[in-house]
Amino acid sequence: MLNSRIYPSLILGIIGLSYISFITFSRVDAIYLFKLNIIIPMVIITFSLSFITHGIQGAFRAFQDSIKYILSYSDSINKRHVQCLRDLSKSSYISGVLWILYSGIHVFSDQNYSVDAFISFSFAAILYAFIFSEIVIRTLLIKISVKKNEYED
């Protein structure tokens, strides 16, 4: 069952992120912000590193149990699942660095290389790593920490 205290924070968070997303993506140059050729490989690299470290079932179970723990206010969460989420956050930044290295090799190996393209790819990789790590995973970890402190009090 969902706790009634979670609804206002969930609604305000969704409204805030929706507002920022609408303002960002309604701009004319928003097409430069959303690059599938960077997002998809970064997600694949991030989850591949997590699968190598924790196994496919372990990584999915950690994310699934964390969501269930937050939404249902169950009594406990496995410490290995919290560690898996922390490692997933680190993997996000590692995939960003790997993408920057790849884009550097790709851009500078071409005869008509462009430093502007490399800078654009690099900033996009850093942005996507930050969004996934800090906004998605870190928010989940903070929510788990807050919930644990509520049970201890």
Side-chain angles (χ1 to χ4, degrees), residues 8-153:
S9 62
L10 207 63
I11 290 171
L12 285 176
I14 290 171
I15 289 172
L17 288 175
S18 299
Y19 174 74
I20 291 171
S21 297
F22 175 75
I23 296 300
T24 302
F25 289 113
S26 65
R27 294 180 45 112
V28 177
D29 58 350
I31 192 69
Y32 298 110
L33 184 64
F34 190 69
K35 297 182 179 189
L36 284 177
N37 65 331
I38 298 173
I39 292 173
I40 292 172
M42 282 191 59
V43 169
I44 291 171
I45 292 169
T46 300
F47 281 103
S48 296
L49 290 172
S50 181
F51 294 158
I52 290 169
T53 307
H54 298 282
I56 294 172
Q57 186 177 8
F60 281 126
R61 182 167 289 153
F63 198 69
Q64 180 183 15
D65 287 351
S66 301
I67 297 294
K68 285 181 182 178
Y69 176 73
I70 289 171
L71 295 179
S72 67
Y73 282 119
S74 63
D75 292 337
S76 65
I77 187 166
N78 192 336
K79 290 182 181 181
R80 289 185 325 172
H81 294 168
V82 174
Q83 184 59 42
C84 182
L85 289 175
R86 287 189 182 121
D87 292 343
L88 189 62
S89 177
K90 293 173 192 172
S91 297
S92 174
Y93 287 115
I94 291 170
S95 67
V97 169
L98 289 174
W99 183 258
I100 291 171
L101 293 174
Y102 168 75
S103 65
I105 291 169
H106 178 70
V107 167
F108 293 123
S109 66
D110 191 12
Q111 293 275 341
N112 301 322
Y113 70 88
S114 169
V115 175
D116 293 340
F118 175 69
I119 291 172
S120 173
F121 288 157
S122 298
F123 280 128
I126 292 168
L127 175 69
Y128 299 144
F130 179 80
I131 287 172
F132 185 71
S133 179
E134 299 301 326
I135 294 177
V136 177
I137 301 299
R138 183 81 56 193
T139 302
L140 194 58
L141 288 169
I142 289 171
K143 196 71 170 171
I144 289 170
S145 175
V146 166
K147 188 172 174 206
K148 279 185 180 181
N149 289 338
E150 284 178 0
Y151 278 125
E152 291 175 0
D153 290 341

